Amino acid sequence: MRAAARAQSNIALVKYWGKRDVARNLPAVGSISITLSALWTDMVVEFDPQLEQDVLRVNGRDDPAALLRISRCLDSLLGSGRLQARVDSTANFPIAAGLASSASAFAALVLAAAAAAGMSRSRRELARHAGHASGSAARSLYGGFVELANAGDDIAASSLLDADDWPLSVVIAITTAAPKAVSSGEAMEISRRTSPFYARWVAQQQADLDAARDAIMSRDLRRLAAVAEHNCLKMHSVMWTSRPAVVYWNEATLACMQAIRLLQAAGVAVFFTIDAGPQVKAVCLPDVERTVQNALDAVPGVARTIVSGLGNGAALLDAT
């Protein structure tokens, strides 16, 4: 009746922004991501017949504000007649700060909950349930390069390349650990309703997905950099042209982008991407990760950097 699982964060190279079905949390566009080995969330789920309601602790503290989403996800996976659960979540990186903490959390949750309940679920099915709770969580069930398809009537995630098939490094510049003022879900709806660029964003996504997929399968960093940076800037342009404008960046975010541009001009194999938050992720070849880290550490306003390789996807830690 108890199990623990670890899932890693992922960052999208071709972004997910907007929903085609808010109630079911279905993305409006497909996306492609990489799973990070160094950023993870552990989830311990224990079903207890003595409990009258679910209990959630996050990093050692009760978190009633996040409990509703956790309970809904458990109901979706196991049915509303399930036993109540005691859930303990531990993350080794800032939560709700633009680092896909919900992705790793819900991926770990569904894996641990299914094991604790003694239920056999395929990874594809677990990804579907995780994605209904947090769209990007479906991608964290898998390692390496992952595609989340916008097809059919549900969520479908699949692996493009394993982590070892094309080893890359990611240097993450933390510009603030504070939670975002506007959640990604709320910001997506603001953009869908008000940005004049939103429809064009959706229309152009398939071309970006095809270009990124081809670049990944041919291990072409230059081509991947071009589509990933452009896709990132398009997504943030949609946010900036929403009403009210959603601006997650800060001064250090812009300074990090400039530092990466200078590295590129010097011939360093690196590119940037930024999710819904102020943190900058620099994707590079492993042999230049120290150069990239030193450059971002020197940027005023960067609190710290984290270097990560590519991860192997969610896995059980124990089951008793």
Side-chain angles (χ1 to χ4, degrees), residues 92-156:
N92 75 334
F93 62 99
I95 293 173
L99 294 169
S101 57
S102 64
S104 59
F106 283 101
L109 176 70
V110 296
L111 186 59
M119 303 182 74
S120 177
R121 292 286 188 271
S122 68
R123 191 158 293 255
R124 186 180 181 90
E125 186 176 359
L126 291 173
R128 180 171 62 84
H129 286 286
H132 285 310
S134 170
S136 56
R139 301 189 306 242
S140 278
L141 266 296
Y142 298 85
F145 296 79
V146 184
E147 181 164 3
L148 184 63
N150 178 35
D153 193 38
D154 214 329
I155 291 172

Side-chain angles (χ1 to χ4, degrees), residues 86-99:
R86 184 177 291 105
V87 179
D88 284 290
S89 174
T90 304
N92 75 334
F93 62 99
I95 293 173
L99 294 169

Side-chain angles (χ1 to χ4, degrees), residues 27 41 55-56 64 81 124 173 181 189 216 229 236 241-242 257 284 291:
T41 300
V55 177
L56 172 65
R124 186 180 181 90
E189 278 301 284
I216 290 166
E229 288 190 353
H236 284 277
T241 54
S242 301
M257 293 168 63
C284 63
T291 298

Side-chain angles (χ1 to χ4, degrees), residues 5 8 53 85 87 96 112 136 158 191 215 217 221 276 289 296 308:
Q8 296 148 343
Q53 62 181 28
V87 179
S136 56
S158 59
S191 293
M217 301 311 291
L221 190 74
E289 70 176 33
L296 294 180
S308 178

Side-chain angles (χ1 to χ4, degrees), residues 10 16 26 45 51 77 83 103 109 113-114 156 173 183 202 287 290 297 315:
N10 72 78
Y16 148 48
L26 300 182
V45 177
L51 285 177
L77 178 67
L83 293 175
L109 176 70
S183 71
V202 173
D287 61 351
R290 182 59 62 87
D297 278 332

